[in-house]
């Protein structure tokens, strides 16, 4: 049987450790299963938002993630939080893809092609909620992620243009709008093999980006900042 002294000391010791962790800014590491569930939810929500828009039923998101509604709400207490995190998740992955493509491919046009197809697989259309009314575009994490994405895509596109491989009359905004439009499924869910069609149409689009240009485009090249400003 434990002595009263031992019983009294242990809680004080535990509280002291907890207080010291708080003072030192230590944050408990999430469990591996919690990390996996979070990523599964984000991936499932991304698919659902691309297919149905950001108003997709959260029950459907939970079903696609293979988890219960309680687990979903434990990670993301409301729809706005989930949408914000999906946009952040997708933005960061697409940025990483742009950087890796330029670093690893033999030339800038090959890098552009790899990035475009990979971004489609990452469901870049899930970023559309960023342009919707009421979306918090000024959240610090999202601002930083958007800045990093713009820099990565503009660097990739500029490399191709400076090498004489990509037509000079397009901007990163043109590329990202086309990517989003061409990678989103048609309304409804009955379209056969949507991904295959998306990649075929993206390759047709990429062929149109080769230099020298065969036509003159109307209007002026669009940047990612242009897309943000036009929705404010």
């Amino acid at each position: 049987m434990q002595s009263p002294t031992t019983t009294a000391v242990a809680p004080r010791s535990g509280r002291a450790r907890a207080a010291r962790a708080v003072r030192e800014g230590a944050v408990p590491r999430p469990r591996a299963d919690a990390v996996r569930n979070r990523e599964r939810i984000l991936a499932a929500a991304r698919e659902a938002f691309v297919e149905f828009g950001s108003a997709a039923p959260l029950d459907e998101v939970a079903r696609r993630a293979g988890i219960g509604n309680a687990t979903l709400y434990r990670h993301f207490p409301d729809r706005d939080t989930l949408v914000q995190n999906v946009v952040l998740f997708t933005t960061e992955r697409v940025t990483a893809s742009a950087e890796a493509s330029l670093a690893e491919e033999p030339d800038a046009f090959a890098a552009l092609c790899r990035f475009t197809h990979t971004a489609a697989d990452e469901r870049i259309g899930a970023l559309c909620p960023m342009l919707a009314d009421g979306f918090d575009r000024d959240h610090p994490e999202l601002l930083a992620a958007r800045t990093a994405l713009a820099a990565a895509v503009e660097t990739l596109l500029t490399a191709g243009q400076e090498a004489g491989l990509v037509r000079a009359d397009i901007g990163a905004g043109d590329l990202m709008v086309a990517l989003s439009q061409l990678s989103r499924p048609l309304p409804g869910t009955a379209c056969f093999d949507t991904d295959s069609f998306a990649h075929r149409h993206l390759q047709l689009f990429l062929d149109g980006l080769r230099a020298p240009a065969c036509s003159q485009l109307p209007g002026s090249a669009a940047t990612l900042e242009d897309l943000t400003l036009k929705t404010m």
Side-chain angles (χ1 to χ4, degrees), residues 121-134:
D121 289 335
E122 291 290 351
R123 305 310 193 210
I124 191 66
L127 291 182
C128 286
M130 181 180 286
L131 307 179
D133 290 339

Side-chain angles (χ1 to χ4, degrees), residues 27 29 35 57 70 80-81 178 184:
V27 178
R29 295 181 63 183
V35 172
D80 288 346
T81 302
R184 291 172 68 86

